[in-house]
Amino acid sequence: MTKNNLIIDGVREGASSLVFHDSVTLSSFQSGWNNIDFEYHHQQPGSMPEHQNTELIISSIHSPTLTQRRIAGEFREENAKVGEVQVNPAHSPQAASWDSPISFSILLLKSSEITSATFDYADPGLVEILPHFSRVDPLLYGLMQSLKMQMELKYTVSKVYLESIRSTAIFHLLQNYSNRRIGTINASEGLSKQSLKKAIDYIHNNFQKDLGLFELADLVGLSSRYFSELFKASTGYSPCDYLLKFRLAQASRLLVTTKLSVVDVARHSGFSSSSNFCRAFRQYNSISPNKYRQENVRL
């Protein structure tokens, strides 16, 4: 197989090793994340052979580097800067080389997910995400920085958080990187009373589980993006934030009405670990769980 016929199955574990010389530094596979495909690389001077990926790839730059890049047959020499991103659609040929060490992140988005999301706004057959060389994009860079930080700190992240990032990234691509501008959702009226009650009841009854955004959206027959916008219009919170605040409320109740350890309070409140629980509790209450218990215990 010649280089220009190299096709990478993006969802296969370790697929990037076929085009990069140095091993991946951090990856969603290594971290045990099952709801997103993300990698962080630090590569020595080298090159990436021409290839096509079966899925869409977003890459973000974490170190300024002079890069020679070819995307979809077009060549550019770029002074890539920190915070810039590149977008390469599925099956679009790409290649690159760099003369100094480079650090970057890669977020893979499945074509099937993009097609599904497009149905909310237009005929998927008429909408195409286009390749883009380096450009400043604070939203995409911020999403990828957040994922990188979560991995570096070895945080356990929830399914709804990862799925929310994927959904946000997909809509942002459709809105800003496609051949036609996708209209925004009119969410002013929010969910119907019946759908809102169904979603909230489900969260309240299943908050101890690792709930997913797509699971909640499917419950009321909506796409994840549409559901997220309507849910926030109805409650003032994203599904992720609502779930987190509800879990924290349950934890606060357990802290002052039981003698459960902090570890058990975290588990009974739906947190994946006590460290995740303590971090979230401090962030929202500006106090540790133990201190909160001491100040509010009911004698």
Side-chain angles (χ1 to χ4, degrees), residues 13 24-33 38-40 151:
E13 182 176 357
V24 61
T25 304
L26 300 166
S27 78
S28 52
F29 288 111
Q30 295 171 352
S31 299
W33 295 1
F38 178 82
E39 293 181 348
Y40 171 71
M151 280 189 181

Side-chain angles (χ1 to χ4, degrees), residues 6 44 54 76 92 201 221 245:
L6 180 61
Q44 295 301 314
T54 58
R76 288 187 189 178
S92 178
D201 286 348
K245 288 181 73 68

Side-chain angles (χ1 to χ4, degrees), residues 162-179:
L162 294 177
E163 290 180 354
S164 295
I165 285 185
R166 277 166 45 202
S167 178
T168 299
I170 289 172
F171 178 76
H172 186 72
L173 289 174
L174 291 172
Q175 182 82 324
N176 299 282
Y177 291 81
S178 67
N179 60 334

Side-chain angles (χ1 to χ4, degrees), residues 85-106:
V85 303
Q86 301 90 35
V87 173
N88 201 71
H91 301 291
S92 178
Q94 62 170 319
S97 62
W98 49 93
D99 299 327
S100 60
I102 184 172
S103 298
F104 57 92
S105 296
I106 293 173

Side-chain angles (χ1 to χ4, degrees), residues 54-66:
T54 58
E55 314 299 337
L56 182 142
I57 296 291
I58 305 170
S59 57
S60 65
I61 300 298
H62 298 291
S63 62
T65 310
L66 178 63

Side-chain angles (χ1 to χ4, degrees), residues 81-126:
K81 301 177 179 63
V82 175
E84 293 184 336
V85 303
Q86 301 90 35
V87 173
N88 201 71
H91 301 291
S92 178
Q94 62 170 319
S97 62
W98 49 93
D99 299 327
S100 60
I102 184 172
S103 298
F104 57 92
S105 296
I106 293 173
L107 176 62
L108 179 146
L109 298 173
K110 296 177 182 178
S111 301
S112 58
E113 295 173 346
I114 296 172
T115 299
S116 177
T118 309
F119 273 111
D120 283 338
Y121 314 100
D123 179 351
L126 302 177

